């Protein structure tokens, strides 16, 4: 029997990654409550426009612009949610993200905050002041409202030139909703300036990164480093209709007994059974947290110039070591750092450069010379691939040594799949001369560490050359019922540390801090006759620019907050 959720009670950004191809434009607004009654009135106005998870019967039924809302701990406090309810909230949510900076790798863990009181000097001003004064600071962020907009298609025929040309323009409802939010402010509820600079918008903008395809500007699935992103988001029970779930779950659920299954709903939505077959802890009353979840909002700045410079330099050494051309060396290094080739094809499926080029030709997005075809037709074919189950259907337990995909690659850290099954055999099977298949491996040690990934890139909406100081990166919103067990564990143990992957202190080559550890090991199959390669010049390519932890309530809870009737007794 299919697992049924009350989708009308769950906010829409929980079950849907609005994404680059349906809602490629976003704005994030931050508010501070100065009078509780005004705050509740604001919540009451916004909740009436909130987009739920209710399914859209047809593409035409999608809203032009979605609206969703979330609260920091101090936001709930200022809304006068009862103390008994607040005391039942998770410790990490109460503390806030700023207090977790050392553990998350947002500041150098070898230096205390007392020794470097300005460790957050590069954060946006709105986050520098947030929670700096402990509980009840005058610069705290209380409410996050997110808008995600479709393109302004104006009734154009799907697939037509007019349709494609319009994909670069946000729907006018995005501006209308912005004006509406501003109209709700007062002395009791204020819109916080994002960075305090004159002329800058008071909100954080984000959008897909666009590129030119045969004279047509189209949204890509890439972020500013050039990697195809956002492919393998988890699938949980009740998220999709049964027929759609059978396909969506492949590569994105959990692998148990050789079959792909949807993850338990309680890993991502409160009030439902999780993978431990237990209900997640909840504050009183249960109705307040039922169908809600928690979210880590993080602004991640990308040092694009440093990244490109390091990859260019390392590619010279890799080309010499492997006796290949520099262009091939560069593409291979990028793939070995990420776990996917730049067009989204996983190394676990296509591990060799020549096979990757042939794969792209066969799929219709590369020409006979191996170059990317920059045409609308090629764009459509690549998008269709990365949205298919094929782009996510692979394992790591058959590559324990990392000959195909290095053990320390970004993707193997973010989603370990079946790699950590304790029964896996490491080494070469004497019968086959290949790595052990570990065919029965499961996701048993991975399925409680998954997070829902939401957000979009921010900065210039193109791939023009830029330096580290320019404003570009990714707005990352990680959702789950337990910030400590899910988001913080992955960030601390798998991104900023490497022991579970036999990498010692080496951090993630893309997201990790590299103040002290600058290496990334790329193994080589002995049968190839080529040596392993050690990248040794890594820098910190991604830096946090601020954020906080938020509670994403259900529609019922939003009404309870707005009416001031949260009763924990």
């Amino acid at each position: 029997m299919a697992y049924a959720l009350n989708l009308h009670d769950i906010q829409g950004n929980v079950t849907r990654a609005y994404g680059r191809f349906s809602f490629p434009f976003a704005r994030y607004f931050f508010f501070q409550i100065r009078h509780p009654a005004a705050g509740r009135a604001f919540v009451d106005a916004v909740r009436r426009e909130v987009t739920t998870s209710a399914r859209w019967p047809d593409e035409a039924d999608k809203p032009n612009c979605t609206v969703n809302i979330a609260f920091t701990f101090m936001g709930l406090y200022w809304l006068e949610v009862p103390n008994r309810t607040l005391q039942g909230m998770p410790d990490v949510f109460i503390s806030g993200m700023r207090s977790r900076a050392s553990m998350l790798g947002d500041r150098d863990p070898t230096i205390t905050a007392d020794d470097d009181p300005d460790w957050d000097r590069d954060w946006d001003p709105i986050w520098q002041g947030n929670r700096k004064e402990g509980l009840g600071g005058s610069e705290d962020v209380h409410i996050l409202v997110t808008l995600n907009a479709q393109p302004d298609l104006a009734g154009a025929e799907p697939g037509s030139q007019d349709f494609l040309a319009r994909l670069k323009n946000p729907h006018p409802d995005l501006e209308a909703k912005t004006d509406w939010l501003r109209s709700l402010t007062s002395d009791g509820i204020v819109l916080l300036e994002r960075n305090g600079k004159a002329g800058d918008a008071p909100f954080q903008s984000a959008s897909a990164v666009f590129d030119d395809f045969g004279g047509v500007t189209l949204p890509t699935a890439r972020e500013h480093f050039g990697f195809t992103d956002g492919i393998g988001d988890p699938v949980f029970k009740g998220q999709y209709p049964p027929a759609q779930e059978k396909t969506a779950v492949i590569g994105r659920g959990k692998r148990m007994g050789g079959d792909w299954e949807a993850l338990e709903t309680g890993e991502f939505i409160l009030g439902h059974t999780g993978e431990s077959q237990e209900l997640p802890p909840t504050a009183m009353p249960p109705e307040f947290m039922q169908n809600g979840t928690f979210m880590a909002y993080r602004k991640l700045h990308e040092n694009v110039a440093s990244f490109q410079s390091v990859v260019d330099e390392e590619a010279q050494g890799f080309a010499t070591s492997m006796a290949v051309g520099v262009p091939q060396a560069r593409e291979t290094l990028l793939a070995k750092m990420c776990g996917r080739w730049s067009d989204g094809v996983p190394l676990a499926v296509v591990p060799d450069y020549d096979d990757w080029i042939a794969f792209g030709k066969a799929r219709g997005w590369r020409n006979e010379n191996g170059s990317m075809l920059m045409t609308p037709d090629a764009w459509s074919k690549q998008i269709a691939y990365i949205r298919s189950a094929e782009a996510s259907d692979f394992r790591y337990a058959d590559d324990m040594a990392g000959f195909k995909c290095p053990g320390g690659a970004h993707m193997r850290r973010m989603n370990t799949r079946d790699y950590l099954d304790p029964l896996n055999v490491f080494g070469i099977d004497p019968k086959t001369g290949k790595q052990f298949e570990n065919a029965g491996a499961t996701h048993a040690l991975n399925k409680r560490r998954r997070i829902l990934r939401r957000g979009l890139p921010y900065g210039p909406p193109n791939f023009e050359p830029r330096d580290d100081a320019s404003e570009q990166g990714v707005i990352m919103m990680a959702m789950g019922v337990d910030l400590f067990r899910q988001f913080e564990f992955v960030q601390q143990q798998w991104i900023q540390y490497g022991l579970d992957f036999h990498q010692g202190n080496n951090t993630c080559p893309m997201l990790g801090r590299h103040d002290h550890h600058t290496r990334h090991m790329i193994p080589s199959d002995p049968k190839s006759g080529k040596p392993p390669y050690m990248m040794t010049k890594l820098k910190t390519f991604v830096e946090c620019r601020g954020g906080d932890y938020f509670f994403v309530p259900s529609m019922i809870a939003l009404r309870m907050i707005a009416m001031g009737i949260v009763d924990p007794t």
Side-chain angles (χ1 to χ4, degrees):
M1 180 180 292
Y3 193 85
L5 290 174
N6 182 359
L7 296 172
H8 293 270
D9 191 40
I10 301 168
Q11 291 203 49
N13 57 345
V14 179
T15 58
R16 297 185 185 96
Y18 291 132
R20 296 170 174 79
F21 307 108
S22 295
F23 297 85
F25 307 96
R27 290 178 180 176
Y28 307 109
F29 298 80
F30 304 96
F31 296 88
Q32 185 183 80
I33 303 164
R34 296 189 176 168
H35 300 293
R40 289 193 292 273
F42 176 83
V43 174
D44 191 47
V46 173
R47 75 172 181 86
R48 298 170 189 271
E49 299 294 324
V50 164
T51 306
T52 72
S53 293
R55 292 179 180 131
W56 301 316
D58 189 80
E59 284 290 301
D61 296 304
K62 294 194 302 186
N64 296 321
C65 182
T66 65
V67 180
N68 293 104
I69 188 170
F71 306 88
T72 63
F73 175 79
M74 292 311 304
L76 296 177
Y77 174 83
W78 270 87
L79 287 163
E80 298 184 326
V81 171
N83 285 344
R84 187 181 176 196
T85 301
L86 295 178
Q87 289 166 356
M89 289 287 184
D91 293 346
V92 296
F93 173 66
I94 294 172
S95 300
M97 197 182 81
R98 181 187 187 85
S99 70
R100 319 287 289 176
S102 177
M103 184 267 289
L104 295 174
D106 295 341
R107 66 174 177 84
D108 190 340
T110 66
I111 302 175
T112 67
D114 290 337
D115 291 335
D116 185 15
D118 295 324
W119 60 267
D120 61 351
R121 62 183 66 85
D122 293 326
W123 283 26
D124 284 359
I126 191 174
W127 299 116
Q128 289 181 5
N130 182 56
R131 298 301 295 270
K132 200 163 190 174
E133 301 173 33
L135 290 175
S138 61
E139 299 180 59
D140 289 351
V141 172
H142 293 158
I143 299 175
L144 163 66
V145 177
T146 64
L147 304 180
N148 287 77
Q150 293 195 70
D152 182 17
L153 300 177
E157 183 70 23
S160 67
Q161 284 297 110
D162 184 37
F163 178 92
L164 295 174
R166 288 179 172 275
L167 289 175
K168 65 182 178 182
N169 301 317
H171 196 280
D173 277 8
L174 179 61
E175 200 61 46
K177 292 291 187 186
T178 297
D179 293 340
W180 165 71
L181 281 174
R182 284 171 162 165
S183 74
L184 298 179
T185 60
S186 65
D187 290 342
I189 178 83
V190 297
L191 175 60
L192 296 173
E193 295 289 331
R194 181 176 62 85
N195 59 21
K197 295 180 181 178
D200 279 9
F203 49 80
Q204 174 67 61
S205 292
S207 76
V209 183
F210 290 75
D211 209 343
D212 182 83
F213 292 83
V216 181
T217 302
L218 298 174
T220 72
R222 292 180 286 165
E223 44 68 68
H224 294 286
F225 289 149
F227 292 106
T228 300
D229 195 17
I231 297 177
D233 206 47
V235 171
F236 57 88
K237 291 181 179 178
Q239 185 178 10
Y240 294 103
Q244 189 177 352
E245 181 184 288
K246 290 180 180 179
T247 301
V249 76
I250 298 172
R252 296 165 57 196
K254 59 185 178 184
R255 201 166 187 270
M256 307 298 292
D259 297 322
W260 290 103
E261 303 174 10
L263 291 152
E264 295 293 338
T265 307
E267 292 299 305
F268 309 104
I269 301 178
L270 293 159
H272 300 266
T273 303
E275 287 292 339
S276 66
Q277 300 307 305
E278 298 175 338
L279 292 173
T282 183
M284 299 298 288
E287 296 83 0
F288 181 73
M289 298 185 76
Q290 176 85 16
N291 286 333
T293 193
F294 291 98
M295 176 178 73
Y297 174 98
R298 291 169 66 76
K299 181 178 181 178
L300 301 179
H301 174 79
E302 293 182 331
N303 293 315
V304 173
S306 289
F307 179 81
Q308 303 297 354
S309 175
V310 168
V311 172
D312 286 344
E313 185 177 358
E314 291 277 11
Q316 298 291 332
F318 188 81
T320 301
S321 180
M322 301 297 168
V324 298
V326 173
Q328 176 177 340
R330 194 179 195 284
E331 284 287 355
T332 304
L333 276 183
L334 290 171
K336 296 290 187 179
M337 293 173 72
C338 175
R340 289 186 188 271
W341 296 95
S342 55
D343 57 6
V345 178
L347 275 176
V349 177
V350 185
D352 299 317
Y353 177 84
D354 290 339
D355 291 340
W356 168 59
I357 295 295
F359 187 93
K361 290 180 183 178
R363 298 308 174 97
W365 64 74
R366 291 191 178 277
N367 61 23
E368 286 304 311
N369 297 324
S371 300
M372 286 290 290
L373 285 167
M374 301 301 287
T375 65
D377 180 63
W379 171 82
S380 297
K381 290 175 178 176
Q382 191 197 357
I383 297 308
Y385 169 75
I386 64 175
R387 297 174 87 177
S388 71
E390 186 182 2
S392 299
D393 188 10
F394 57 90
R395 355 176 4 236
Y396 291 134
D398 60 351
D399 183 30
M400 296 296 290
F403 295 154
K404 293 189 287 187
C405 179
H410 170 69
M411 277 180 46
R412 288 188 78 146
R413 293 171 180 264
M414 290 299 296
N415 179 7
T416 62
R417 296 178 179 256
D418 56 358
Y419 170 70
L420 293 179
D421 188 314
L423 298 181
N424 284 346
V425 180
F426 190 99
I428 303 297
D429 186 342
K431 296 180 181 178
T432 64
K434 301 178 180 179
Q435 295 187 76
F436 285 99
E437 287 290 326
N438 294 311
T442 72
H443 288 209
L445 294 186
N446 166 264
K447 61 186 181 180
R448 302 201 74 213
R449 309 294 185 189
R450 302 299 304 280
I451 56 175
L452 298 174
R453 165 88 182 276
R454 305 291 182 255
L456 284 167
Y458 69 89
N462 53 51
F463 292 103
E464 293 178 1
R466 58 190 70 123
D467 58 27
D468 290 349
S470 56
E471 178 84 350
Q472 73 266 324
V474 172
I475 300 298
M476 176 182 165
M477 295 183 286
M479 289 183 170
V481 300
D482 191 328
L483 290 166
F484 177 76
R485 169 170 57 82
Q486 292 167 288
F487 164 69
E488 288 196 344
F489 181 93
V490 172
Q491 181 70 19
Q492 181 192 34
Q493 294 295 321
W494 291 349
I495 297 299
Q496 302 295 352
Y497 196 45
L499 198 58
D500 282 348
F501 311 99
H502 304 282
Q503 302 297 308
N505 288 326
N506 290 350
T507 66
C508 174
M510 290 168 55
L511 293 189
R513 289 188 71 98
H514 297 120
D515 315 68
H516 307 287
H517 304 286
T518 63
R519 300 165 300 182
H520 173 54
M521 169 57 73
I522 300 174
S524 181
D525 189 338
K527 293 188 299 183
S528 70
K530 296 185 177 181
Y533 185 82
M534 177 76 79
M535 298 182 73
T536 61
K537 301 176 175 65
L538 299 182
K539 298 179 181 179
T540 300
F541 303 126
V542 176
E543 300 175 349
C544 184
R545 290 290 189 261
D548 207 346
Y549 293 156
F550 290 83
F551 175 56
V552 185
S554 68
M555 299 304 294
I556 289 175
L558 284 175
R559 188 172 185 182
M560 293 169 69
I561 292 170
M563 296 178 68
I565 58 169
V566 179
D567 183 1
T569 59

